[in-house]
């Protein structure tokens, strides 16, 4: 017995022996059966059954799912990321018990280059309609004309009509963000245009949303209601000025993200996605690339509300495989349906600004033209359904001989890496706008430091070489990257200074399960993130915050627990100031200023215990100060929650950060004690994590070692109001109890 959404793989300990291998997350696959027994709601019984159409909607099942209703097969869908619907009306017992059975086959592995999860990992709905109703994803809203005074809202409606004798009228009503009715019209035509006065435009700073309510009416009776959230905005990608939103030049400061939610696995949770976006937004991030697959609908809903520029991506491979059992074997039969369903589902989201038909597709290297032909077919499918957005592809063949780029098929040139080639883009592709679709691939372990910091490490030295070090960790200074990548700082400098680059999507925002480059087992998750798997920012987070926001920023690192005789490289990221002065135990170590070519400042400091203090100043006046103290032995535990009150929804979460303190209340940054958790009341422990890519234990265990001074426990409330008492304990430490309210 379990709740959906559900990911069965995440419940296991990690092992390098699983067929998915560390690149696939080092977790098991297998085959799972789900069964749901239910009776239909009373309004569908008796004579009413003739007036009802019943569907089941799946937002995503990984993967190769087959669905039966009362023993009769409803359908098969191989793609693990796509949303789909089955009409189950013919198979149902309207006055008795029904059984839906879903077989999920994730046994043939490896089938992914990252952690996929297993099971019905996105939401499922039973949908009851009248025989005449708005079809699934049956509205298409565009705004062909926008001015300060008015916007024309064009609405195309697809009606599914089982009752061929019924005459239907379509009534559209637009409401503002407060639910106030603004304009309404009725017609028997499937295409209508409404005029909206003094429109509020959707933007990154003010992501204003309208709601379209579509009513179907027949013989004076309302028979269906369908809601569509949309936004009003104008945009273009320009070959010289980059991305223009509502007439204003905007740099896309984006990240790529995979779909797992750390210790929750791939099981979709609205609050967990929201928390990721909140952490990114606070960094100054304004863009998300859905790497490398259709996202959960909840992600786009949140991007609409919070103001992100989304690259919506369809495929990681076409006909040429990347792993032995991947989607390439299904692509010839299923690509048209899957791409069609993606565009139909997502085309009303104002946060979606471009479609990507593929990531690092192997066909881009083919010289016989077949790859370009396939790209043309996919682009044609997208354009037939949504001609309002540009089509791109993340190309790692950054040569002008790339058949995709050479053909001119793509509206938007997308380069994955190739920073040294950016200068040549305007000459090679005249008149074509450009997006850095994937950048950086820096390697970092939160809280781990290797010196000298000015020595750049390229790991591995060649992309397909085996690689090993005594410790499977990478320095948290910005001084380590893969051979195809670059340092965060050098990449950021170029993109910020060149208008023709529309922006970038950094690999990656968050660490993710799988692909632990440059290491193999016991590493089982990535090192690429600006934020670790538990959601704790790495130091480079503050570089972006200092450059992408107007906040006052001062961040100094590393910690100040070293050995006598060590010389430590102390870095600072700062903003809204001219300089930073560093002090050790009250003695000035001098002031430093950023230059055009270096966006951090650094001191080499012989270690002595005590207090390291930094002060940033502007025109001689103090802006911010920060202190780091040498910590003693840990004596107590500190718990800090992102939310002390959560909803009694059965889904809401509180993310609780766990640290240990010394006798003076200083955080101990090198602590690694095992912390055990116990819970009472209206909640459960949904997962634990610490951001350590080498930790082999299940992320569902109610215990976790600190990793470089931190770990995380995720508390999930029930659907009953009350309180949750969380206790954290460890031998020789004073335990801590924490109360979260559920209401």
């Amino acid at each position: 017995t379990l709740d959906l959404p559900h990911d069965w793989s995440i419940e296991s300990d990690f092992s390098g022996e699983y067929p998915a291998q560390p690149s696939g997350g080092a977790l098991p696959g297998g085959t799972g059966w789900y069964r749901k027994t239910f009776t239909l709601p009373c309004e569908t019984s008796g004579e009413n059954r003739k007036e009802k159409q019943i569907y089941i909607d799946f937002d995503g099942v990984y993967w190769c799912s087959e669905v039966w209703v009362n023993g009769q097969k409803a359908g098969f869908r191989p793609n693990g990321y796509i949303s789909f619907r089955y009409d189950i009306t013919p198979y149902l017992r309207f006055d008795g018990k029904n059984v839906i059975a879903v077989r999920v086959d994730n046994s043939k592995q490896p089938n992914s280059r990252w952690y996929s999860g297993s099971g019905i990992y996105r939401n499922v709905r039973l949908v009851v309609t009248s025989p005449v109703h708005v079809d699934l994803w049956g509205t298409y809203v565009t705004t062909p004309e926008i001015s300060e005074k008015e916007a024309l809202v064009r609405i195309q409606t697809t009606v599914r009509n089982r009752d061929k004798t019924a005459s239907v009228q379509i009534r559209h009503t637009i409401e503002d963000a407060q639910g106030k009715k603004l304009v309404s019209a009725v017609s028997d035509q499937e295409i209508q245009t409404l005029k909206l006065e003094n429109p509020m435009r959707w933007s990154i700073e003010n992501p204003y949303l309208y709601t379209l309510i579509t009513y179907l009416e027949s013989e004076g009776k309302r028979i269906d209601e369908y809601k569509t959230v949309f936004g009003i905005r104008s945009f273009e990608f320009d070959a010289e000025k980059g991305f223009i939103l509502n007439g204003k030049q905007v740099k896309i400061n984006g990240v790529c993200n995979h779909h797992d939610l750390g210790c929750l696995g791939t099981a979709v949770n609205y609050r967990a996605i929201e928390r990721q976006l909140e952490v990114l937004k606070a960094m100054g991030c304004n863009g998300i690339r859905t790497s490398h697959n259709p996202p959960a609908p909840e992600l786009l809903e949140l991007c609409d509300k919070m103001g992100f520029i989304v690259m919506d991506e369809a495929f990681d491979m076409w006909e040429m495989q990347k792993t032995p059992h991947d989607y390439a074997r299904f692509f010839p039969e299923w690509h048209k349906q899957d791409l069609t369903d993606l565009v139909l589902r997502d085309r009303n989201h104002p946060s979606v600004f471009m479609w990507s038909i593929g990531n690092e597709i192997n066909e881009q290297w083919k010289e016989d033209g077949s790859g370009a032909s396939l790209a043309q077919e996919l682009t044609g499918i997208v354009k037939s359904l949504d001609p309002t957005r540009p089509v791109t592809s993340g190309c790692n063949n950054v040569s002008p001989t790339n058949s995709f780029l050479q053909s001119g098929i793509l509206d938007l040139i997308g380069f994955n890496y190739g920073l040294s080639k950016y200068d040549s883009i305007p000459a090679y592709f005249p008149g074509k706008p450009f997006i850095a679709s994937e950048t950086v691939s820096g390697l970092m372990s939160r809280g781990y430091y290797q010196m000298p910091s000015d020595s750049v490490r390229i790991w591995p030295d060649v992309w397909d070489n085996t690689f090993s070090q005594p410790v499977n960790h990478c320095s948290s200074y910005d001084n380590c990257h893969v051979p195809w990548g670059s340092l965060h700082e050098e990449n950021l400098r170029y993109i910020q200074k060149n208008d023709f680059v529309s922006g970038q999507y950094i690999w990656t925002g968050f660490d993710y399960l799988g692909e632990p480059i440059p290491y193999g087992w016991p590493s089982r998750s990535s090192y690429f993130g600006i934020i670790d798997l538990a959601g704790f920012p790495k130091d480079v987070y503050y570089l972006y915050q200092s450059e992408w926001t107007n906040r006052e920023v001062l961040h100094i690192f590393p910690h100040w627990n070293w050995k006598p005789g060590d010389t430590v490289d102390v870095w600072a990221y700062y903003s809204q100031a001219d300089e930073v002065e560093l002090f050790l135990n009250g003695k000035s170590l001098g002031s430093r200023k950023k230059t055009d070519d270096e966006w951090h400042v650094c001191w080499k400091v012989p270690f002595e215990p005590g207090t390291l203090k930094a002060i940033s100043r502007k025109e001689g006046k103090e802006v911010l100060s920060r202190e780091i103290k040498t910590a003693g032995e840990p004596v107590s535990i500190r718990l800090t929650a992102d939310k002390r009150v959560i909803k009694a929804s059965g889904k809401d979460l509180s993310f609780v950060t766990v640290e240990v303190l010394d006798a003076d209340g200083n955080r101990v940054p090198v602590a690694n004690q095992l912390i055990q958790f116990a819970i009472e009341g209206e909640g459960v422990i949904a997962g634990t994590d610490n951001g350590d890519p080498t930790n082999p234990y299940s992320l569902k265990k109610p215990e976790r070692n600190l990793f470089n001074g931190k770990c995380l426990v995720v508390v999930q409330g029930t659907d009953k109001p009350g309180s949750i008492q969380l206790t954290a304990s460890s031998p020789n430490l004073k335990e801590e109890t924490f109360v979260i309210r559920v209401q």
Side-chain angles (χ1 to χ4, degrees):
T1 301
L2 52 84
D3 290 330
L4 296 181
H6 172 247
D7 172 9
W8 78 67
S9 295
I10 197 65
E11 297 168 9
S12 172
D13 285 337
F14 297 88
S15 171
E17 300 302 313
Y18 287 125
Q21 302 171 7
S23 62
L27 287 168
T31 302
W33 283 88
Y34 295 82
R35 286 183 178 83
K36 168 78 171 177
T37 301
F38 67 103
T39 55
L40 288 164
C42 59
E43 62 265 24
T44 66
S45 62
E47 284 299 310
N48 290 331
R49 74 179 64 179
K50 298 175 184 177
E51 301 174 8
K52 300 299 178 184
Q53 193 85 5
I54 302 176
Y55 301 95
I56 188 166
D57 291 357
F58 292 87
D59 284 345
V61 182
Y62 202 90
W63 73 333
C64 290
S65 64
E66 297 174 272
V67 178
W68 288 265
V69 181
N70 295 326
Q72 298 183 73
K73 190 169 182 177
F76 165 73
R77 203 66 185 252
N79 192 315
Y81 300 103
I82 208 70
S83 300
F84 55 93
R85 161 178 281 187
Y86 295 128
D87 180 356
I88 61 175
T89 314
Y91 313 132
L92 289 169
R93 302 184 185 107
F94 283 80
D95 298 315
K97 288 187 175 181
N98 295 276
V99 177
I100 292 182
V102 181
R103 181 180 189 267
V104 186
D105 185 357
N106 194 18
S107 59
K108 292 183 177 178
Q109 298 208 4
N111 59 47
S112 176
R113 298 187 301 117
W114 57 85
Y115 176 68
S116 66
S118 300
I120 305 176
Y121 73 111
R122 292 181 181 171
N123 279 298
V124 187
R125 288 169 300 280
L126 191 72
V127 179
V128 181
T129 73
S130 71
V132 182
H133 55 275
V134 177
D135 202 3
L136 176 67
W137 313 317
T139 56
Y140 179 36
V141 182
T142 56
T143 51
E145 295 181 28
I146 304 171
S147 70
E148 293 296 324
K149 292 184 177 180
E150 65 180 33
L152 295 184
V153 181
R154 183 181 185 273
I155 307 156
Q156 180 177 328
T157 310
T158 303
V159 176
R160 184 171 286 271
N161 190 344
R162 199 180 73 188
D163 182 359
K164 303 300 182 184
T165 63
S167 63
V168 180
Q169 287 193 312
I170 304 170
R171 181 183 298 275
H172 293 301
T173 298
I174 295 176
E175 295 180 349
D176 67 11
Q178 287 72 46
K180 180 183 176 182
K181 178 180 168 182
L182 300 176
V183 63
S184 185
V186 62
S187 171
D188 58 1
Q189 301 299 308
E190 291 194 344
I191 296 178
Q192 295 184 45
T193 300
L194 277 66
K195 186 180 294 185
L196 201 58
E197 295 182 353
N198 302 314
M200 292 285 290
R201 299 198 193 190
W202 186 99
S203 66
I204 294 166
E205 300 79 16
N206 181 31
Y208 193 90
L209 299 173
Y210 292 91
T211 299
L212 168 71
I213 306 177
T214 302
Y215 302 102
L216 301 187
E217 299 171 350
S218 180
E219 298 177 355
K221 181 182 177 183
R222 186 164 289 172
I223 57 175
D224 195 30
E225 178 181 326
Y226 192 93
K227 292 186 177 181
T228 306
V229 176
F230 70 99
I232 295 173
R233 77 283 190 276
S234 62
F235 73 97
E236 64 176 311
F237 287 87
D238 184 87
E240 296 179 357
K241 297 179 181 179
F243 179 61
I244 312 294
L245 177 60
N246 299 324
K248 176 185 174 184
Q249 190 175 16
V250 173
K251 190 71 76 171
I252 299 174
N253 298 326
V255 299
C256 304
N257 260 356
H258 275 314
H259 68 308
D260 77 68
L261 297 168
C263 63
L264 304 180
T266 60
V268 163
N269 180 281
Y270 190 89
R271 173 56 196 156
I273 300 172
E274 182 181 48
R275 179 217 184 205
Q276 285 195 341
L277 294 177
E278 286 172 350
V279 175
L280 290 168
K281 197 78 172 178
M283 183 179 79
C285 174
N286 65 17
I288 300 291
R289 179 184 179 207
T290 70
S291 317
H292 299 293
N293 43 260
E298 290 83 354
L299 174 69
L300 296 184
E301 179 184 333
L302 283 160
C303 287
D304 290 345
K305 291 179 179 179
M306 298 174 69
F308 285 88
I309 307 297
V310 175
M311 178 189 291
D312 202 342
E313 194 151 71
F315 304 114
D316 187 48
M317 73 289 296
W318 296 347
E319 293 177 343
M320 298 176 68
Q321 68 183 33
K322 293 182 177 179
T323 59
H325 303 288
D326 63 25
Y327 178 75
R329 59 193 170 116
F330 301 112
F331 183 89
E333 180 181 354
W334 284 97
H335 70 273
K336 184 174 182 179
Q337 182 74 62
D338 288 341
L339 184 56
T340 297
D341 287 348
L342 169 66
V343 177
L344 288 177
R345 189 194 71 172
D346 294 351
R347 62 185 178 175
N348 289 321
H349 286 282
S351 60
V352 175
F353 283 79
M354 64 203 98
W355 304 104
S356 170
I357 54 175
N359 169 67
E360 299 183 358
I361 298 299
N362 286 332
E363 281 85 348
Q364 70 186 292
W365 303 91
K366 296 181 74 171
E367 298 179 357
D368 61 1
S370 59
S373 297
L374 199 43
Q376 188 166 23
E377 179 196 346
L378 297 173
T379 301
I381 293 169
V382 174
K383 293 290 189 182
S384 70
L385 301 168
D386 177 36
T388 71
R389 296 174 175 89
V391 176
T392 189
S393 181
C395 295
N396 60 331
N397 178 0
V398 296
S399 162
T401 61
N402 178 330
S403 62
F404 297 1
L405 304 177
Q406 197 176 52
S407 67
I409 293 164
L410 301 177
D411 303 307
L412 185 58
I413 301 297
F415 272 20
N416 285 10
Y417 311 104
L419 180 61
S420 64
K421 304 288 183 67
Y422 285 9
D423 281 341
S424 62
I425 288 168
Y428 281 143
F429 308 105
K432 283 279 190 178
F434 170 69
I435 184 78
S437 46
E438 189 171 314
T439 63
V440 182
S441 275
L443 301 169
M444 297 177 178
S445 302
R446 176 190 53 78
Y448 178 80
Y449 303 94
Q450 290 179 310
M451 286 165 267
S453 63
D454 55 1
S455 174
V456 176
R457 298 156 173 82
I458 299 177
W459 289 354
D461 55 345
V462 180
W463 76 269
D464 55 351
N465 276 6
T466 56
F467 180 82
S468 65
Q469 288 282 313
V471 179
N472 279 30
H473 288 297
C474 304
S475 178
S476 199
Y477 295 112
D478 182 16
N479 67 342
C480 186
H481 64 81
V482 294
W484 56 89
S486 58
L487 298 177
H488 286 271
E489 197 171 307
E490 66 173 325
N491 186 81
L492 180 60
R493 280 198 305 270
Y494 187 96
I495 288 174
Q496 297 295 88
K497 290 180 178 181
N498 286 275
D499 283 351
F500 80 92
V501 185
S502 299
Q504 66 171 325
Y505 292 97
I506 298 162
W507 194 262
T508 54
F510 280 73
D511 279 340
Y512 54 93
L513 291 163
E515 208 169 23
I517 294 169
Y519 300 108
W521 183 256
S523 296
R524 44 66 168 169
S525 57
S526 80
Y527 297 78
F528 294 118
I530 298 169
I531 302 150
D532 76 13
L533 197 67
F536 301 135
K538 302 177 187 178
D539 295 293
V540 76
Y541 179 95
Y542 300 95
L543 166 67
Y544 291 102
Q545 193 176 67
S546 68
E547 296 297 331
W548 283 356
T549 77
N550 293 321
R551 295 184 178 197
E552 295 174 346
V553 175
L554 176 58
H555 176 72
I556 58 170
F557 61 100
H559 57 78
W560 204 239
N561 275 55
W562 298 91
K563 300 190 301 293
D566 287 343
T567 296
V568 183
D569 291 355
V570 178
W571 283 32
Y573 295 124
Y574 70 95
S575 66
Q576 310 301 317
D578 302 320
E579 62 181 9
V580 177
E581 186 174 6
L582 189 68
F583 299 84
L584 177 57
N585 295 327
K587 180 183 177 182
S588 176
L589 303 180
S591 297
R592 301 281 190 272
K593 295 183 178 182
K594 291 188 285 190
T595 68
D596 283 346
D597 296 321
E598 203 162 68
W599 289 2
H600 71 276
V601 291
C602 178
W603 298 259
K604 290 188 176 295
V605 183
F607 173 73
E608 63 179 60
T611 301
L612 199 64
K613 182 177 182 178
I615 298 176
S616 61
R617 297 188 181 92
K618 187 174 182 67
E619 297 176 351
K621 295 182 179 180
E622 180 176 322
V623 177
L624 292 173
S625 67
R626 296 286 184 265
E627 287 187 351
I628 303 174
K629 295 185 177 183
T630 306
E633 292 298 313
V635 299
S636 62
I637 299 170
R638 179 169 67 188
L639 303 178
T640 309
D642 69 334
K643 291 171 66 178
R644 293 293 297 263
V645 180
I646 60 177
K647 298 172 186 174
S649 63
K651 301 290 185 183
D652 203 4
L653 305 173
S654 178
F655 290 83
V656 182
T657 299
V658 185
E659 301 164 302
V660 296
L661 308 178
D662 69 7
D664 295 323
N666 299 310
R667 187 178 76 86
V668 184
V670 294
N672 62 0
Q673 282 86 351
L674 177 67
I675 310 293
Q676 296 175 315
F677 303 102
I679 198 164
E680 295 179 7
E682 298 301 331
V684 297
I685 292 173
T688 59
D689 199 359
N690 59 12
D692 180 1
T694 67
N695 190 302
Y697 301 113
S698 169
L699 298 176
K700 295 297 182 181
K701 281 184 170 22
E703 60 182 33
R704 191 66 44 190
N705 284 87
L706 298 165
F707 174 63
N708 294 329
K710 288 188 177 184
C711 72
L712 178 80
V713 55
V714 183
V715 176
Q716 182 171 327
T718 69
D719 57 2
K720 297 177 182 178
S723 63
I724 301 168
Q725 183 171 290
L726 174 69
T727 301
S729 61
S730 184
N732 304 317
L733 295 180
K734 180 184 176 183
E735 74 175 26
E736 177 76 355
T737 298
F738 193 81
V739 175
I740 298 166
R741 286 193 293 128
V742 185
Q743 66 181 28

